[in-house]
Amino acid sequence: MRTKLDAISLTAVLVTVGAFSATAPLTAFATGSALALALGRNALGLLTLGPVVALIRRREFRKVFRGERFLVRKEQRRGALLGALAGTALAAHFATFMSSTRMTSVAMATALVATQPVWQALISTLQGHRLPRATWAGLGVSVAGAAIASGMDGRAGTEALVGDALALAGAIALAGYTALSEQTRPDVSTMVYSVLCSSVCTVELLILCLVTGTPLFAFDAGTWLALLGLLLFPQLLGLFSLNFVLGRAPATAVSILLLLEAPMAASIAWLWLGQLPTATAWPGLLMIMLGVTAVVVADARRADPARDTVADMDTTGEVRGLVAFPQHPLLALNRIPGGDIHAFLWREAHRGRFRAVEATIRRLENEAVRVHGAKSAEATHWIEVRAVVARIAADHALSARLWLTAARFHASPPRRDLPSTRACLDHAYREWCGVTDEDVINELASALQALCRKDPYYSTEMLATLDRRLLHKTAHSRQE
C-alpha cells in the first residue's frame, strides 16, 4: 500500500466522494417513498452483483455455512450470524438516512450522518478501549455542532427536527454496521460478506415496506431515473472506487477526504434543487466536520501498528518483542515464516489487546484457507498461533480446541506429520488440564482420546494419563 495519495488515488477518492454525494440529492429529488427507493437500490445492486459473486465464491459459501474447521468450525458460522446482524444495521441506516433527506435539508442530513466516526468511537469505549484526549475533544466539538445546527434547524418546524433525528439515527446505525463488520470480516471474504449483508438488508427493507404499506413500484419517470442513479453512483461506482483506493492509500487520508461528501452534497442540492439550510445552522455544520476530522485523525494515530512498533524498538532499531516470541514452545515446531508479524502479535497479546490480535490472526488464517486450503500447513500454522494467544489470555478451553484442530490437520493425509501431531496433542493436553467446566472437559477429553488412539505412541502413555485425569475430575466433581 502507498503511504500517500498519488494522482490516481486522489482521483479515485474524488470519484468516491462524488458518487456518495449523489445519494441524498437523488433521494430528495425523487417523488417515490424513501423506503421503496432504499429497497430498490439494494435489490438492484444485489441482482447485479449477487449471481456473479455466488458463482465465483460458491466454495466459500459452502464452507461458511457448513463449517470445515473441526472444533473451531462454529467461528465461520459466527461470522455469518454477525454478518446478518450487520445487514440489519445497514437496513436501519438506509431507512433512516434516506427518509431524513425528505424532512430536512440535504446539507443537514449528510453532515449529521457524517458523525458516524463519533458514534463508532463511543462504541469502542463500550468494548473496553480507552480513547485519547484528542478523540474526546473531537466528540465534544461534534456533539456541540450537532446541537447548534439542529437547534437552529428546528426553527423551521418539527418536521425538520425529526429529519435531523433520523439522520443521527442513520449515523448510529452505520457505526453499528461498522462495529459488526469489524468482528465479522476476519471470518468471511469481502465478496461473500457484501452479498450476505445486501441480502439481509434487502429482505428486511422489503418486510418493512410491506408492514408499513409502502408501495413498492409506484414510481414516476423521475423516480425511476433517481433509482437508476442510486444504483450506478453510490451503489456500484462509489463502492468500487472506495475499495480500489483503500488498497492504494492510507485509510486515514481517505476517511478525511470522504468528509467532503457533506459540502459536495450540499452544493449539488443547492445547484439542482435550490436547497440550503438556514444561515444560522452553518457554524454548527462546520463544528461537526471539524470534530469528526479530529476523531478520525486521533483514532488513526491510536490504531496505527507502525507507531507501536517504533515505540517498542531499542536504540539499535531492533524490535525487542522479536527476541521473546521464539522462546515459546510453539517455535519448537520450527515453522514460523518470518518474524515481524509474530513479534507484533506477541507484544500486543502481552499488552492484553486480545480482541485486536484475535481478529488479525483470523484474517491471516482465513486468507491462508482461501489460498492454500482448509487443512494446509499455512492455515494450520495460524491455528497454532491463535492457540498460543489463547493460552496467554488464560482461555484454556479455546487453546485446547485450537491445538486439537491443528493436531487433526497434521494427522490428515496426504501430508501426515507425526512429530507435529504429537507436539500439538501435548499442548492440547496441558491446556485441557487447566479447564474447569465439566461439559468442556468431557467434550475435549473425547476428542483427545480419539486422536491419541490413532497413534501407537500415545496408546499406552497419553491415553492412560488422560483416563486417570478424567476419572479424577469425575470423582472430585461427585464429592463436591
Side-chain angles (χ1 to χ4, degrees), residues 424-457:
C424 289
L425 286 174
D426 287 339
H427 288 305
Y429 173 73
R430 293 192 192 101
E431 297 304 321
W432 178 78
C433 291
V435 179
T436 57
D437 187 287
E438 294 298 327
D439 294 333
V440 177
I441 289 172
N442 294 330
E443 175 197 359
L444 295 179
S446 299
L448 266 169
Q449 288 170 330
L451 286 173
C452 289
R453 288 193 180 99
K454 294 181 180 180
D455 186 352
Y457 174 81

Side-chain angles (χ1 to χ4, degrees), residues 6-89:
D6 56 10
I8 296 177
S9 299
L10 181 59
T11 301
V13 173
L14 294 178
V15 170
T16 303
V17 171
F20 285 161
S21 299
T23 301
L26 284 170
T27 306
F29 167 76
T31 57
S33 168
L35 287 179
L37 284 172
L39 170 62
R41 166 186 172 175
N42 282 273
L44 290 176
L46 183 61
L47 290 174
T48 302
L49 299 179
V52 178
V53 174
L55 180 63
I56 296 175
R57 294 286 186 175
R58 60 185 182 277
R59 292 184 179 178
E60 185 181 350
F61 274 106
R62 289 198 297 267
K63 289 180 180 179
V64 168
F65 291 101
R66 184 174 61 196
E68 295 184 1
R69 306 299 286 162
F70 191 41
L71 292 176
V72 292
R73 62 184 178 273
K74 294 180 181 179
E75 291 179 355
Q76 289 180 310
R77 294 172 183 171
R78 168 183 172 274
L81 175 61
L82 291 178
L85 294 176
T88 301

Side-chain angles (χ1 to χ4, degrees), residues 13-14 17 21 254-266 289:
V13 173
L14 294 178
V17 171
S21 299
V254 174
S255 299
I256 294 174
L257 288 175
L258 285 178
L259 295 178
L260 293 173
E261 178 186 347
M264 186 172 288
M289 293 295 101

Side-chain angles (χ1 to χ4, degrees), residues 188-479:
V188 186
S189 71
T190 301
M191 289 184 177
V192 172
Y193 182 74
S194 299
V195 171
L196 175 62
C197 288
S198 295
S199 300
V200 173
C201 180
T202 300
V203 170
E204 292 185 346
L205 286 174
L206 175 60
I207 294 174
L208 184 59
C209 287
L210 294 176
V211 170
T212 58
T214 302
L216 299 181
F217 303 107
F219 296 159
D220 56 18
T223 302
W224 279 110
L225 288 175
L227 182 59
L228 180 61
L230 289 171
L231 172 65
L232 294 177
F233 291 105
Q235 195 73 21
L236 297 180
L237 179 61
L239 291 176
F240 175 81
S241 55
L242 177 61
N243 291 334
F244 170 78
V245 75
L246 286 176
R248 295 175 55 91
T252 308
V254 174
S255 299
I256 294 174
L257 288 175
L258 285 178
L259 295 178
L260 293 173
E261 178 186 347
M264 186 172 288
S267 301
I268 295 173
W270 174 48
L271 296 174
W272 184 18
L273 306 175
Q275 185 185 109
L276 277 177
T278 59
T280 52
W282 283 107
L285 295 177
L286 180 60
M287 290 176 65
I288 292 173
M289 293 295 101
L290 291 175
V292 172
T293 301
V295 170
V296 170
V297 173
D299 185 66
R301 289 178 176 175
R302 176 175 62 93
D304 186 2
R307 293 174 63 87
D308 291 336
T309 302
V310 172
D312 264 26
M313 287 185 178
D314 58 23
T315 55
T316 65
E318 184 169 35
V319 182
R320 294 192 182 99
L322 193 58
V323 178
F325 188 74
Q327 296 174 357
H328 197 278
L330 171 65
L331 272 295
L333 302 178
N334 293 321
R335 291 186 300 99
I336 297 296
D340 291 345
I341 183 61
H342 299 83
F344 171 73
L345 294 172
W346 179 254
R347 182 178 66 250
E348 294 300 287
H350 277 286
R351 288 178 175 176
R353 300 173 182 174
F354 298 114
R355 186 189 299 272
V357 171
E358 174 78 2
T360 301
I361 298 175
R362 290 213 313 272
R363 288 190 184 96
L364 295 167
E365 177 191 341
N366 281 282
E367 180 62 26
V369 169
R370 285 190 288 272
V371 175
H372 302 285
K375 298 181 180 180
S376 64
E378 292 80 3
T380 305
H381 163 72
W382 292 113
I383 293 178
E384 295 167 352
V385 175
R386 288 185 59 201
V388 174
V389 174
R391 175 66 180 87
I392 297 172
D395 191 342
H396 300 291
L398 176 58
S399 184
R401 285 192 175 95
L402 291 165
W403 282 120
L404 283 170
T405 300
R408 181 174 182 261
F409 291 164
H410 283 307
S412 300
R415 59 164 195 89
R416 291 194 63 184
D417 185 346
L418 195 56
S420 295
T421 302
R422 292 171 176 173
C424 289
L425 286 174
D426 287 339
H427 288 305
Y429 173 73
R430 293 192 192 101
E431 297 304 321
W432 178 78
C433 291
V435 179
T436 57
D437 187 287
E438 294 298 327
D439 294 333
V440 177
I441 289 172
N442 294 330
E443 175 197 359
L444 295 179
S446 299
L448 266 169
Q449 288 170 330
L451 286 173
C452 289
R453 288 193 180 99
K454 294 181 180 180
D455 186 352
Y457 174 81
Y458 285 101
S459 60
T460 57
E461 183 177 341
M462 174 71 84
L463 279 173
T465 307
L466 185 62
D467 290 338
R468 286 196 303 269
R469 177 74 175 176
L470 186 59
L471 199 62
H472 173 74
K473 280 184 174 288
T474 303
H476 182 69
S477 177
R478 288 176 180 174
Q479 289 177 0

Side-chain angles (χ1 to χ4, degrees), residues 9-181:
S9 299
L10 181 59
T11 301
V13 173
L14 294 178
V15 170
T16 303
V17 171
F20 285 161
S21 299
T23 301
L26 284 170
T27 306
F29 167 76
T31 57
S33 168
L35 287 179
L37 284 172
L39 170 62
R41 166 186 172 175
N42 282 273
L44 290 176
L46 183 61
L47 290 174
T48 302
L49 299 179
V52 178
V53 174
L55 180 63
I56 296 175
R57 294 286 186 175
R58 60 185 182 277
R59 292 184 179 178
E60 185 181 350
F61 274 106
R62 289 198 297 267
K63 289 180 180 179
V64 168
F65 291 101
R66 184 174 61 196
E68 295 184 1
R69 306 299 286 162
F70 191 41
L71 292 176
V72 292
R73 62 184 178 273
K74 294 180 181 179
E75 291 179 355
Q76 289 180 310
R77 294 172 183 171
R78 168 183 172 274
L81 175 61
L82 291 178
L85 294 176
T88 301
L90 190 62
H93 165 71
F94 281 128
T96 52
F97 171 55
M98 295 182 72
S99 297
S100 71
T101 61
R102 301 291 183 81
M103 306 176 74
T104 187
S105 66
V106 167
M108 281 295 299
T110 53
L112 290 174
V113 85
T115 61
Q116 177 265 336
V118 172
W119 307 107
Q120 188 68 51
L122 292 177
I123 291 175
S124 182
T125 62
L126 296 177
Q127 294 175 335
H129 298 292
R130 292 183 178 180
L131 300 182
R133 294 180 180 178
T135 300
W136 286 112
L139 289 173
V141 172
S142 294
V143 171
I148 293 172
S150 298
M152 297 301 177
D153 206 30
R155 296 180 180 180
T158 305
E159 183 179 7
L161 200 57
V162 172
D164 294 345
L166 286 174
L168 278 176
I172 296 172
L174 188 58
Y177 168 78
T178 305
L180 289 167
S181 298

